[in-house]
Amino acid sequence: MAMTASPNRVNRVRRTYFSLFALFVLISLAQTFFYAALMDLGVNREVLWYGNAVVFFATLVSVFFLNRSLGSSKALSLLKNIYLAIFIKMLICLVAAAAYILTARKLVDKAALAGCALLYIMYTALELYLVLKSNRTEPHATDTSTP
């Protein structure tokens, strides 16, 4: 028997993806708007833009794994998927950073890498907030205990 997702869960998942996409667009617009300030600080805007794209992609992969655990009545399942999602996202970002460092060699822009690390923290915070908020409102079929 195939399980179908409830309309509420589908809407919450869509809201999560929309919020992440909105953050991506806002950061991209901010990079465009503050182009001169970034140049004055010596930050390579292209590295920051590609870093934003990589972190956004990694976050989408991570959210996929987190959404699999929604609705589970077991806290261990949720925690396992949270750790798995964060590890996968960190691995994707580390591979991208290593590729940049190995490619650029002596021209590595440390300020842009620090900016990418900040983007990673921002996306992770938003992702966990949205997923945990969704899990809090998800009804648990097996929870019949009373206080």
Side-chain angles (χ1 to χ4, degrees):
M1 177 188 272
M3 292 184 69
T4 58
S6 69
N8 288 338
R9 180 172 176 194
V10 171
N11 287 337
R12 281 191 290 269
V13 170
R14 283 184 185 157
R15 231 177 292 134
T16 300
Y17 284 115
F18 177 77
S19 298
L20 291 171
F21 182 72
L23 180 62
F24 174 76
V25 169
L26 284 173
I27 290 171
S28 297
L29 288 174
Q31 289 174 354
T32 303
F33 185 71
F34 295 112
Y35 176 76
L38 290 172
M39 294 302 286
D40 289 342
L41 292 172
V43 177
N44 186 340
R45 186 174 155 247
E46 287 182 19
V47 172
L48 206 54
W49 192 88
Y50 285 116
N52 186 28
V54 167
V55 174
F56 174 68
F57 169 74
T59 302
L60 292 180
V61 171
S62 177
V63 166
F64 171 77
F65 284 103
L66 289 173
N67 282 329
R68 287 188 340 177
S69 68
L70 288 180
S72 174
S73 62
K74 298 180 182 177
L76 183 60
S77 173
L78 178 64
L79 287 175
K80 277 191 330 187
N81 281 312
I82 286 175
Y83 285 129
L84 176 68
I86 290 173
F87 177 73
I88 288 172
K89 181 163 60 168
M90 188 180 302
L91 190 64
I92 291 171
C93 292
L94 284 174
V95 167
Y100 167 66
I101 292 168
L102 292 174
T103 304
R105 298 280 178 182
K106 295 183 181 189
L107 300 175
V108 171
D109 186 0
K110 293 176 186 170
L113 282 178
C116 291
L118 181 65
L119 291 174
Y120 175 85
I121 292 169
M122 290 171 55
Y123 276 102
T124 302
L126 179 64
E127 169 191 9
L128 288 178
Y129 170 77
L130 292 170
V131 170
L132 291 175
K133 181 179 172 186
S134 292
N135 195 47
R136 217 178 307 138
T137 58
E138 186 76 26
H140 299 295
T142 59
D143 188 15
T144 59
S145 61
T146 57

